Amino acid sequence: MILFIVFLPLLAAIVAGFANKSFGAILPKVVTTGALFASCALSWPIFIHYLGGGEATVTPVLDWIHSGDLAVDWSLRVDALTAVMLVVVTSVSALVHLYSWGYMEEDPDQPRFFAYLSLFTFAMLMLVTADNLVQMFFGWEGVGLASYLLIGFWFRKPSANAAAIKAFVVNRVGDLGFMLGIFGTYLVFNTVSIPEILRLAPGMAGSTIGFFGGRFDTMTVLCLLLFVGAMGKSAQLGLHTWLPDAMEGPTPVSALIHAATMVTAGVFMVCRLSPMFETSPFALTVVMTVGAATCLFAATVGLVQTDIKRVIAYSTCSQLGYMFFAAGCGAYGAAMFHLFTHAFFKALLFLGAGSVIHSMHHEQDMRYYGGLRKSIPITFWGMMMGTLAITGVGIPAVFGNPLAIGFAGFHSKDAIIEAAWASGQHGASIVGIIVALLTSFYSWRLMFLTFWGKPRWEQSEHIQHAIHDAHGHGHDAVHAGHDDHGTTAAHAHHGEAAEEGQGSEPHAHDHGHVVQAHPVFTTHGDGTGGYHPHESPFPILLPLIILSIGAIAAGFVFHGYFIEPSAGEEYWHGAIAFREHLMHAMHEVPLGVKLSASIAMLTGLLGAYIFYIRSPHAPRKLAETYAPVYDFLLNKWYFDELYNLLFVKPAFAIGRFFWHRGDEQTIDRLGPNGSAWVVSQGSRVAGKLQTGYVYTYAFVMLLGLTGAVTWAITR
Amino acid sequence: MTGFPILSVMLAIPALAAVACLFVSAQGARWIALIATLIDFVLGIGLWASFDIGGPQWQFVENAGSLGVFSWKLGLDGFALLLVMLSVFLMPICIGASWVAIEKRVQEYMAAFLITEVLMIGTFAAQDLFLFYIFFEAGLIPMYLIIGIWGGANRIYASYKFFLYTLLGSLLMLVAMLWMVNFAGTSDIPTLLNTDFPVQVQTWLWLAFFASFAVKMPMWPFHTWLPDAHVQAPTAGSVILAGVLLKLGGYGFLRFSLPMFPEASAQLTWLILALSAVAVIYTSLVALVQSDMKKLIAYSSVAHMAIVTIGLFAFNRQGIEGAMIVMLSHGLVSAALFLCVGVIYDRLHTREISRYGGLAINMPRYALLFLFFTMASIGLPGTSGFVGEFLSLAGTYRVSTTATLLCTTGIILGAAYMLYLYRRVVFGEIVHDDVRAMKDISLREMALLAPIAAVALWMGVYPESFLAPMRSDVATLEARIARATPKGDSLPTPGKAPATPAAHAEARP
């Protein structure tokens, strides 16, 4: 059965890829979507089976690399941890396939798109079913490839290509750590089989190993090397720069790969190897610190972004930080639980944002939204559920209330904050609470800017195009515009207009040239420019509705299995290092901690309400008053600029230096050119034979060879 | 094996065909060359199929007696078998790639290629030191002519450089060989492999061989002939140069340096590791800034070959097997990349990267194949590149974590320069009208590239087919060099707590 789950998407990707446009777009769409729904339908029974507790099974597929005592096989491992990932991956993937029927409707390259999506799903499933580190690396790189292809799906667009390369290369930095981690693990344990490693790991506690000239604690070195890989894939601080740029890909891709599944692979890896991380307290501290730092960093940047997808991207980055610091505190169950709930509500938010973008003719700047809740009500309610889930709305089990109940994120996020407190990491816990406040603020800011207030889109170039085309040249330009998204110029412009959009005030001074170009469409006065958004088609709405159910209920229904002491122990069944006492201690944290997340959530909501509903001019004033802080956040802490300066430019400069100064002016001058000069002086005589250089040298060479051989024979 | 002299036949067929080519029309020469190389390929499959895995070390041995001091003695072990297979597999593809691209002096061109094939098979099969030397060095001559006559505008300079570099190194090797034969009293390679040379002399012998192999490899800083040779060579010339001739250096280290001079090898491992680590970083950065497609791939070859050398000098099974797989994989993948360049060069007659762009729009099938080979080149798991790199680096890690760390940066830099190349050639909008007019790959070009893609995928998913033939040879080599194996810098101490018994019950369905 697991064979079908994993290989159906591969088969579908191959069929869709090779059929391409030969049979129209329908065949690839039906094949890939059908395969994914079949995989999904087969996955849920497995998950439900493991809810009752079950042993791990390993299905061998094929020998892979056998070299001495290094034995790596293709095989599929299923246990409780894999089961979680199976349902997450196949469910979200199936829904995203369906969603893409609507979203990618006008794209001429749909077969390619669906083939990539299915290929991605296959690679992700190989990753989560890996029984050894090398197969995990196969999946790891496979999802990287799919991500590269999908980010660069609109390959005519320079920004998409740049983002795709960036994603791949930054991930490779992480992979360097992962590979070295595998080498080190193999050296220490003589195996790459995950269960074997986890069995042997506790025995190596306290051992030391040489690495890069120094001597360190063995398990710390191995865990940190592997964690570098996780940082790359899960976009943790330092290696996060690719994730926001990855939003160049089509929105369904962002939802599937860059929110729900691929980026969580790092968290999955740390949980999978949790018994190994348990042997190195230092490594765990690093995991926790990096997670907390990312969590805070991304949330602050998310506060000021104006592109709807980028806000959600930073939010993802921040939520991944939560998962890592949960793992770093030893609450692996809570980390996996947040991964599970996050997959649903973040996919929902992204797909909802996609639906907004679809209705707004590919306008992604929230400054040009406003008042959309009446025109696209289903999308609005979907996004609302997602927001309630991510901000963690719910009733905590305090003041005698026996049963905590709330949206998905409420259960998982509270668990993380409480677990952090219970494990003695009070600092991390406080960071978690602060970030909960920031999360609430940026999430509600997104909702208020998009769905409340008055319409502000008459200044949007995309909307202008839409109106223009509708009135003028039919739909040709819309199609062309869809393919390359026509956003290059618009984005550059938005980037320059570095200020907060708010209220209903038109930004005529920002977009003077636009107004001049289309004076006709600016006269409506209601901010709509005469454009009225329509709700998205059914294939887009159905996934939103299904995911809404997940965002509402996933936390309440499953929290027992993931984090409750006894049920959790029974469910995980050794698949992760489950610290039962920590899960007990979680319930004993002070009242203040239990309430803190909810208080933070309400504070954030209130703040967003004041800033974006009550007094819409306040954000700009605040931004002007604290301009340096605002710019710092808007420019994402200047990470891109710094890396450009430190790595990208020097790499090219050094490359040029090596090439000209090294190869041409040193090696060649002292080597062949020098001797060539000597030889050419001497061979003028040969030149007189008029046989041409080539023959001369060939002849000389033959003579030399013959001479040498003769000498050897007659010596 | 029966008495059928299959290796001599494999040498005779292309040799006779080369002579025949000179006396027929251009079209006739093409067909003769194609048929002769295909026959050799079929014979090669026969070799592989009848190779007795786990049987005697040397198989298909034939000894036609002595010719003065050296003798016509041929035979194959697992290493040689795989490299012979690589040669006979690539040869028909080279002929196919030259089918329309070569218009002048077709007869001589085909003859030169067929002679190259003879010399390459001879190099791998030779069991006599002098016979090896002759094949090894003579291999230069047809290549030299191919670059010099059918090459690009600056072909004379390139062929000159190629010639100077490679000849200088090999003269030192000849001197060393003479000393060795004198010392051991025989030029029989299997005997020499088990001869223990005095440790103090080993270093000099090793260095003399190194001079030749390092240039052939090429290792930094003896690599500058390669980019020029590639740039000027016709497509098929590049294919055979990257595909097979670059493997001669690695084969030399494997066949001679390691088993014959184990102590010297161990002593000088630091040199190999240092040069390789420099090569990976240096040439990868240089590749990043190239504007000529062939130069870029040539520089990337130098980086890949450095992974071969560190693997070989890891002194362990993973390293050596990995190095062999990298050689085979690079032989396939870089050959295919040069063919990919050839495909668009034939249409636009330029290798300038900036003249292309947007090929995915009008050449989707080409874009797909090029993508596959790009990914294989940067070692994506599932392709041949990964298996080799992974094993080679895993082996090296046991010797030096520092060298491994430095060389593994190649996976980052490799991704950067290859994807940057791919983006500039295949992605983006079409800017030039002549690019817009380019047609997608023809059936002939597909027939050249698809088999290579299939084998690269096979080697990536099920490398066992390629690892099995060399397994016992690696064991022999390991036993031979075991006494000199360096200790490595990891040396983990035992843990303080006892290992817990199996915590996870496994159930296999």
Side-chain angles (χ1 to χ4, degrees):
Chain A
M1 185 143 81
I2 185 68
L3 286 171
F4 283 105
I5 296 177
V6 175
F7 289 103
L8 271 181
L10 175 67
L11 211 61
I14 292 171
V15 169
F18 281 101
N20 204 351
K21 294 172 199 165
S22 325
F23 309 98
I26 267 300
L27 173 80
K29 285 159 80 172
V30 171
V31 169
T32 52
T33 313
L36 257 298
F37 273 95
S39 275
C40 181
L42 293 171
S43 296
W44 276 96
I46 292 184
F47 178 57
I48 290 166
H49 164 74
Y50 277 99
L51 285 181
E55 299 294 340
T57 64
V58 177
T59 312
V61 180
L62 190 68
D63 291 352
W64 190 13
I65 304 172
H66 283 240
S67 175
D69 51 7
L70 177 68
V72 184
D73 290 326
W74 298 105
S75 54
L76 305 175
R77 177 189 180 83
V78 183
D79 60 10
L81 183 63
T82 301
V84 177
M85 296 304 287
L86 281 182
V87 293
V88 166
V89 172
T90 55
S91 308
V92 178
S93 181
L95 292 174
V96 164
H97 273 76
L98 177 62
Y99 180 92
S100 303
W101 283 62
Y103 195 82
M104 301 300 283
E105 186 69 57
E106 295 167 4
D107 200 286
D109 280 329
Q110 287 178 72
R112 191 162 60 88
F113 182 79
F114 281 86
Y116 288 170
L117 276 187
S118 291
L119 177 69
F120 165 79
T121 314
F122 162 70
M124 191 70 204
L125 291 171
M126 286 300 276
L127 196 167
V128 300
T129 56
D131 192 40
N132 62 62
L133 288 175
V134 186
Q135 188 186 325
M136 191 189 270
F137 191 71
F138 167 84
W140 199 263
E141 291 275 279
V143 292
L145 168 69
S147 161
Y148 164 79
L149 292 171
L150 283 164
I151 295 170
F153 178 72
W154 286 309
F155 60 80
R156 297 172 188 227
K157 208 167 125 189
S159 56
N161 289 327
I165 292 185
K166 188 174 177 182
F168 200 97
V169 173
V170 174
N171 265 297
R172 276 259 157 153
V173 177
D175 295 347
L176 167 74
F178 196 162
M179 272 187 94
L180 289 173
I182 298 176
F183 300 152
T185 310
Y186 170 59
L187 178 105
V188 172
F189 299 113
N190 255 336
T191 176
V192 290
S193 150
I194 292 171
E196 278 296 297
I197 294 167
L198 300 185
R199 186 172 66 78
L200 296 169
M204 286 307 285
S207 126
T208 64
I209 194 170
F211 181 72
F212 205 59
R215 275 202 88 79
F216 309 96
D217 182 74
T218 303
M219 294 315 293
T220 304
V221 169
L222 298 183
C223 290
L224 288 184
L225 284 173
L226 292 168
F227 179 60
V228 171
M231 282 175 68
K233 198 57 82 194
S234 293
Q236 293 299 288
L237 190 63
L239 296 178
H240 66 281
T241 54
W242 65 273
L243 183 58
D245 288 18
M247 298 301 125
E248 290 289 344
T251 306
V253 174
S254 311
L256 175 62
I257 300 183
H258 305 119
T261 57
M262 183 186 86
V263 289
T264 61
V267 182
F268 168 77
M269 185 233 258
V270 172
C271 290
R272 170 62 92 203
L273 300 177
S274 48
M276 193 170 160
F277 278 81
E278 285 286 291
T279 60
S280 171
F282 181 74
L284 278 181
T285 311
V286 172
V287 173
M288 186 197 72
T289 313
V290 169
T294 308
C295 190
L296 185 63
F297 153 78
T300 60
V301 176
L303 295 177
V304 299
Q305 299 300 311
T306 55
D307 182 313
I308 186 167
K309 281 181 73 179
R310 288 199 176 232
V311 174
I312 306 178
Y314 277 105
S315 157
T316 304
C317 199
S318 173
Q319 300 299 314
L320 291 167
Y322 266 120
M323 297 171 207
F324 275 112
F325 93 62
C329 294
Y332 306 101
M336 283 309 294
F337 188 34
H338 199 54
L339 187 160
F340 179 74
T341 60
H342 174 258
F344 293 107
F345 63 69
K346 190 50 67 70
L348 172 61
L349 283 171
F350 255 122
L351 294 181
S355 174
V356 173
I357 293 167
H358 190 261
S359 342
M360 294 297 285
H361 274 267
H362 295 279
E363 176 58 77
Q364 299 189 4
D365 193 322
M366 296 188 298
R367 289 172 299 182
Y368 303 111
Y369 292 165
L372 284 171
R373 81 180 174 278
K374 294 197 190 77
S375 30
I376 46 174
I378 300 175
T379 304
F380 164 69
W381 279 109
M383 291 281 281
M384 190 57 146
M385 295 306 131
T387 305
L388 292 172
I390 191 176
T391 55
V393 174
I395 306 157
V398 290
F399 305 126
N401 174 17
L403 191 64
I405 182 164
F407 289 88
F410 163 76
H411 292 278
S412 54
K413 194 183 294 181
D414 275 20
I416 290 175
I417 291 169
E418 288 165 15
W421 188 274
S423 70
Q425 306 289 358
H426 296 186
S429 183
I430 289 166
V431 171
I433 294 164
I434 295 169
V435 175
L437 193 158
L438 299 177
T439 306
S440 169
F441 183 86
Y442 67 65
S443 302
W444 287 110
R445 167 176 175 262
L446 184 152
M447 290 301 285
F448 293 147
L449 279 176
T450 305
F451 293 106
W452 271 269
K454 293 203 181 80
R456 303 183 294 274
W457 56 77
E458 72 176 355
Q459 303 300 340
S460 156
E461 286 189 21
H462 296 270
I463 299 297
Q464 302 250 0
H465 278 299
I467 302 165
H468 191 72
D469 294 328
H471 290 241
H473 314 293
H475 280 282
D476 293 357
V478 174
H479 283 251
H482 190 98
D483 201 12
D484 65 12
H485 249 192
T487 49
T488 321
H491 269 169
H493 188 80
H494 293 166
E496 285 159 29
E499 66 177 301
E500 189 88 351
Q502 72 288 104
S504 57
E505 189 187 64
H507 291 223
H509 58 285
D510 280 346
H511 298 272
H513 66 285
V514 179
V515 177
Q516 277 168 3
H518 306 280
V520 173
F521 304 111
T522 59
T523 55
H524 291 262
D526 57 357
T528 61
Y531 176 78
H532 300 287
H534 292 289
E535 185 62 280
S536 301
F538 178 71
I540 291 189
L541 297 178
L542 184 64
L544 292 184
I545 295 165
I546 297 172
L547 286 169
S548 296
I549 298 168
I552 295 167
F556 178 69
V557 175
F558 294 107
H559 74 104
Y561 300 104
F562 283 86
I563 50 173
E564 287 305 321
S566 53
E569 185 73 45
E570 167 74 17
Y571 169 63
W572 290 114
H573 218 87
I576 60 171
F578 192 77
R579 290 190 191 171
E580 202 176 341
H581 63 277
L582 180 63
M583 297 297 124
H584 271 298
M586 251 172 64
H587 294 286
E588 313 302 326
V589 296
L591 183 66
V593 177
K594 283 191 178 174
L595 281 174
S596 61
S598 296
I599 295 169
M601 182 273 295
L602 290 172
T603 316
L605 169 61
L606 187 70
Y609 175 77
I610 293 171
F611 269 47
Y612 296 96
I613 305 272
R614 276 283 295 282
S615 54
H617 295 285
R620 180 190 288 182
K621 280 190 198 123
L622 197 67
E624 280 166 7
T625 319
Y626 298 101
V629 178
Y630 178 72
D631 287 342
F632 184 67
L633 295 182
L634 189 75
N635 289 296
K636 312 145 222 167
W637 294 27
Y638 295 103
F639 264 103
D640 282 332
E641 287 76 4
L642 186 72
Y643 283 0
N644 227 5
L645 201 70
L646 283 183
F647 301 117
V648 182
K649 282 186 181 161
F652 279 87
I654 296 171
R656 262 180 230 107
F657 177 83
F658 280 162
W659 182 27
H660 295 303
R661 285 294 158 97
D663 273 16
E664 289 178 354
Q665 292 177 18
T666 310
I667 298 176
D668 274 359
R669 204 171 62 177
L670 298 178
N673 291 1
S675 43
W677 183 80
V678 175
V679 174
S680 71
Q681 292 301 311
S683 69
R684 278 192 184 157
V685 186
K688 282 178 188 159
L689 293 171
Q690 299 294 318
T691 48
Y693 281 105
V694 176
Y695 292 115
T696 310
Y697 295 130
F699 185 61
V700 168
M701 204 160 154
L702 264 179
L703 277 183
L705 189 72
T706 321
V709 173
T710 315
W711 182 45
I713 296 171
T714 58
R715 121 198 98 87
Chain B
M1 239 347 242
T2 57
F4 181 64
I6 187 165
L7 289 170
S8 291
V9 171
M10 284 179 77
L11 291 172
I13 288 171
L16 293 174
V19 176
C21 275
L22 299 173
F23 298 100
V24 293
S25 67
Q27 195 62 17
R30 288 185 184 117
W31 280 107
I32 289 177
L34 183 65
I35 291 168
T37 51
L38 282 174
I39 292 175
D40 254 21
F41 177 54
V42 172
L43 289 174
I45 292 180
L47 277 184
W48 199 10
S50 55
F51 186 81
D52 178 15
I53 293 170
Q57 184 185 5
W58 303 100
Q59 303 188 17
F60 315 107
V61 177
E62 41 187 278
N63 195 344
S66 149
L67 309 160
V69 167
F70 73 93
S71 50
W72 183 264
K73 190 176 175 199
L74 302 174
L76 293 177
D77 65 352
F79 300 130
L81 172 80
L82 290 168
L83 289 165
V84 167
M85 279 311 296
L86 178 67
S87 314
V88 296
F89 174 71
L90 286 177
M91 259 304 159
I93 292 173
C94 284
I95 303 296
S98 316
W99 206 258
V100 289
I102 300 297
E103 285 163 347
K104 68 166 188 178
R105 313 178 82 160
V106 179
Q107 293 89 336
E108 286 93 333
Y109 179 88
M110 293 300 169
F113 262 90
L114 290 164
I115 294 294
T116 312
E117 176 163 27
V118 175
L119 298 173
M120 288 181 315
I121 299 173
T123 309
F124 297 130
Q127 290 227 301
D128 181 277
L129 203 57
F130 291 122
L131 190 62
F132 168 82
Y133 184 76
I134 291 169
F135 281 128
F136 185 78
E137 290 307 324
L140 292 181
I141 299 169
M143 196 62 220
Y144 175 63
L145 293 174
I146 288 167
I147 297 173
I149 298 174
W150 292 276
N154 205 8
R155 56 184 184 259
I156 302 297
Y157 174 71
S159 56
Y160 199 21
K161 213 169 170 179
F162 173 65
F163 162 76
L164 270 175
Y165 256 120
T166 44
L167 191 72
L168 285 176
S170 57
L171 285 177
L172 288 171
M173 184 169 81
L174 182 63
V175 175
M177 283 179 168
L178 291 170
W179 193 92
M180 285 162 64
V181 173
N182 198 22
F183 177 84
T186 175
S187 57
D188 183 50
I189 291 178
T191 315
L192 287 168
L193 283 175
N194 289 309
T195 307
D196 292 322
F197 293 98
V199 176
Q200 30 330 353
V201 190
Q202 274 192 22
T203 312
W204 294 106
L205 296 174
W206 191 93
L207 284 171
F209 276 80
F210 174 79
S212 178
F213 299 147
V215 168
K216 280 264 171 30
M217 197 85 207
M219 291 178 75
W220 185 89
F222 312 111
H223 66 281
T224 61
W225 62 271
L226 185 68
D228 284 309
H230 270 311
V231 164
Q232 299 303 332
T235 300
S238 290
V239 170
I240 215 67
L241 182 58
V244 188
L245 290 184
L246 290 195
K247 310 300 167 294
L248 294 179
Y251 177 71
F253 281 127
L254 188 62
R255 170 66 65 236
F256 300 102
S257 302
L258 278 171
M260 291 186 187
F261 324 122
E263 280 84 10
S265 298
Q267 217 174 23
L268 290 161
T269 294
W270 64 270
L271 179 69
I272 297 278
L273 294 184
L275 291 183
S276 305
V278 171
V280 168
I281 297 172
Y282 181 108
T283 54
S284 297
L285 288 171
V286 174
L288 197 58
V289 295
Q290 297 303 312
S291 57
D292 180 308
M293 286 188 270
K294 273 188 152 182
K295 259 194 167 162
L296 194 155
I297 299 169
Y299 274 109
S300 85
S301 295
V302 182
H304 281 113
M305 287 300 111
I307 306 291
V308 174
T309 44
I310 53 161
L312 289 175
F313 283 84
F315 283 82
N316 55 41
R317 175 175 285 276
Q318 286 79 32
I320 294 165
E321 289 184 350
M324 268 303 288
I325 298 284
V326 174
M327 284 205 259
L328 297 175
S329 160
H330 177 265
L332 296 169
V333 173
S334 69
L337 285 171
F338 280 117
L339 285 171
C340 284
V341 173
V343 165
I344 53 179
Y345 181 81
D346 287 347
R347 287 162 174 67
L348 218 55
H349 298 286
T350 175
R351 294 178 310 267
E352 274 300 305
I353 296 171
S354 56
R355 283 284 284 111
Y356 295 93
L359 292 185
I361 296 166
N362 53 347
M363 301 177 72
R365 273 179 294 162
Y366 173 76
L368 179 67
L369 280 166
F370 194 10
L371 178 74
F372 176 81
F373 292 119
T374 300
M375 288 300 157
S377 172
I378 63 184
L380 196 83
T383 65
S384 56
F386 172 73
V387 179
E389 270 179 28
F390 177 79
L391 284 175
S392 179
L393 291 166
T396 313
Y397 195 88
R398 310 203 142 204
V399 178
S400 166
T401 53
T402 309
T404 311
L405 175 63
L406 293 176
C407 289
T408 312
T409 55
I411 69 166
I412 305 171
L413 296 169
Y417 63 72
M418 283 312 289
L419 294 181
Y420 187 43
L421 168 73
Y422 190 76
R423 168 198 175 178
R424 286 177 292 170
V425 173
V426 174
F427 287 157
E429 282 288 358
I430 297 179
V431 213
H432 304 285
D433 283 338
D434 46 1
V435 174
R436 198 182 312 278
M438 285 165 67
K439 287 200 175 68
D440 206 345
I441 50 176
S442 65
L443 214 58
R444 178 181 65 86
E445 289 159 337
M446 188 61 115
L448 302 178
L449 289 168
I452 306 185
V455 177
L457 198 63
W458 174 15
M459 201 184 288
V461 176
Y462 190 69
E464 184 61 21
S465 317
F466 304 88
L467 289 168
M470 61 169 144
R471 196 157 278 147
S472 60
D473 298 306
V474 178
T476 313
L477 180 58
E478 256 192 320
R480 175 91 185 132
I481 57 181
R483 64 171 190 258
T485 305
K487 260 178 109 179
D489 64 350
S490 290
L491 306 170
T493 58
K496 297 211 167 77
T500 51
H504 306 271
E506 293 288 328
R508 286 195 175 238

